[in-house]
Amino acid sequence: MADENAGTTGVEELRAQFDALQRRIAIATVGAQEDFVALLASPEVDGLMAAMTSAAADLDEATRKRVAAWVKMRSDIASLAKSELVRLRGLAAVADQGEVNGG
Protein backbone atom coordinates (compact mmCIF):
# COMPACT_ATOMS: atom_id res chain seq x y z
CA MET A 1 0.00 0.00 0.00
CA ALA A 2 1.21 3.46 -0.85
CA ASP A 3 1.77 5.89 1.97
CA GLU A 4 -1.16 8.31 1.72
CA ASN A 5 0.94 11.05 3.38
CA ALA A 6 3.76 10.78 0.86
CA GLY A 7 4.69 14.15 -0.58
CA THR A 8 2.76 16.14 2.04
CA THR A 9 4.25 18.50 4.56
CA GLY A 10 4.48 17.08 8.06
CA VAL A 11 2.96 18.71 11.11
CA GLU A 12 6.33 19.61 12.59
CA GLU A 13 7.43 21.26 9.36
CA LEU A 14 4.17 23.23 9.23
CA ARG A 15 4.67 24.35 12.83
CA ALA A 16 8.20 25.47 12.03
CA GLN A 17 6.93 27.41 9.01
CA PHE A 18 4.19 28.98 11.13
CA ASP A 19 6.68 29.99 13.83
CA ALA A 20 9.01 31.47 11.22
CA LEU A 21 6.11 33.42 9.70
CA GLN A 22 5.12 34.76 13.12
CA ARG A 23 8.69 35.92 13.72
CA ARG A 24 8.78 37.65 10.32
CA ILE A 25 5.48 39.40 11.07
CA ALA A 26 6.80 40.47 14.47
CA ILE A 27 9.93 41.95 12.94
CA ALA A 28 7.84 43.79 10.35
CA THR A 29 5.33 45.22 12.85
CA VAL A 30 7.26 45.89 16.05
CA GLY A 31 8.11 49.46 14.99
CA ALA A 32 4.51 50.32 14.17
CA GLN A 33 3.39 48.79 17.47
CA GLU A 34 5.95 50.91 19.33
CA ASP A 35 4.52 54.01 17.63
CA PHE A 36 0.97 52.96 18.51
CA VAL A 37 1.85 52.40 22.18
CA ALA A 38 3.71 55.72 22.34
CA LEU A 39 0.66 57.53 20.97
CA LEU A 40 -1.85 55.85 23.26
CA ALA A 41 0.32 56.44 26.32
CA SER A 42 1.29 60.00 25.36
CA PRO A 43 0.75 63.01 27.60
CA GLU A 44 -1.28 64.57 24.79
CA VAL A 45 -3.80 61.74 24.81
CA ASP A 46 -3.82 61.83 28.63
CA GLY A 47 -4.67 65.52 28.37
CA LEU A 48 -7.41 64.85 25.83
CA MET A 49 -8.98 62.21 28.06
CA ALA A 50 -8.84 64.56 31.06
CA ALA A 51 -10.37 67.38 29.02
CA MET A 52 -13.18 65.11 27.81
CA THR A 53 -13.89 63.97 31.37
CA SER A 54 -13.87 67.55 32.61
CA ALA A 55 -16.09 68.78 29.76
CA ALA A 56 -18.61 66.04 30.48
CA ALA A 57 -18.73 66.74 34.22
CA ASP A 58 -21.75 69.02 33.93
CA LEU A 59 -23.62 66.86 31.43
CA ASP A 60 -26.20 64.18 32.14
CA GLU A 61 -25.24 60.99 33.91
CA ALA A 62 -25.54 58.81 30.79
CA THR A 63 -23.07 61.02 28.91
CA ARG A 64 -20.65 61.06 31.85
CA LYS A 65 -20.79 57.26 31.97
CA ARG A 66 -20.10 57.01 28.22
CA VAL A 67 -17.14 59.37 28.50
CA ALA A 68 -15.81 57.41 31.48
CA ALA A 69 -16.18 54.21 29.43
CA TRP A 70 -14.22 55.77 26.53
CA VAL A 71 -11.46 56.85 28.90
CA LYS A 72 -11.30 53.36 30.42
CA MET A 73 -11.32 51.73 26.97
CA ARG A 74 -8.36 53.87 25.93
CA SER A 75 -6.52 52.76 29.06
CA ASP A 76 -7.41 49.10 28.41
CA ILE A 77 -6.35 49.36 24.76
CA ALA A 78 -3.04 50.92 25.83
CA SER A 79 -2.45 48.02 28.25
CA LEU A 80 -3.24 45.44 25.57
CA ALA A 81 -1.03 47.26 23.07
CA LYS A 82 1.85 47.20 25.55
CA SER A 83 1.36 43.45 26.08
CA GLU A 84 1.34 42.89 22.32
CA LEU A 85 4.52 44.96 22.00
CA VAL A 86 6.24 42.74 24.56
CA ARG A 87 5.13 39.66 22.60
CA LEU A 88 6.33 41.09 19.28
CA ARG A 89 9.68 42.09 20.76
CA GLY A 90 10.09 38.57 22.13
CA LEU A 91 9.38 37.00 18.75
CA ALA A 92 11.69 39.46 17.01
CA ALA A 93 14.44 38.70 19.53
CA VAL A 94 14.07 34.98 18.87
CA ALA A 95 14.38 35.67 15.15
CA ASP A 96 17.46 37.84 15.73
CA GLN A 97 19.02 35.13 17.89
CA GLY A 98 18.30 32.57 15.19
CA GLU A 99 20.13 34.70 12.65
CA VAL A 100 23.12 35.03 14.99
CA ASN A 101 23.18 31.25 15.45
CA GLY A 102 22.94 30.67 11.72
CA GLY A 103 19.26 29.75 11.71
Side-chain angles (χ1 to χ4, degrees), residues 4-5 13 17-18 22 42-43 50 64 74 82 92 94:
E4 45 185 71
N5 292 326
E13 185 178 340
Q17 290 173 5
F18 179 74
Q22 280 192 315
S42 71
R64 288 193 311 270
R74 175 265 182 163
K82 288 176 186 176
V94 167

Side-chain angles (χ1 to χ4, degrees), residues 5-57:
N5 292 326
T8 62
T9 305
V11 172
E12 290 305 316
E13 185 178 340
L14 289 173
R15 283 187 181 138
Q17 290 173 5
F18 179 74
D19 291 345
L21 182 59
Q22 280 192 315
R23 288 189 296 272
R24 288 177 54 202
I25 291 170
I27 291 167
T29 59
V30 73
Q33 186 72 16
E34 287 171 341
D35 293 344
F36 183 64
V37 168
L39 175 63
L40 281 178
S42 71
E44 293 84 5
V45 175
D46 284 342
L48 175 64
M49 295 295 115
M52 286 176 54
T53 301
S54 177

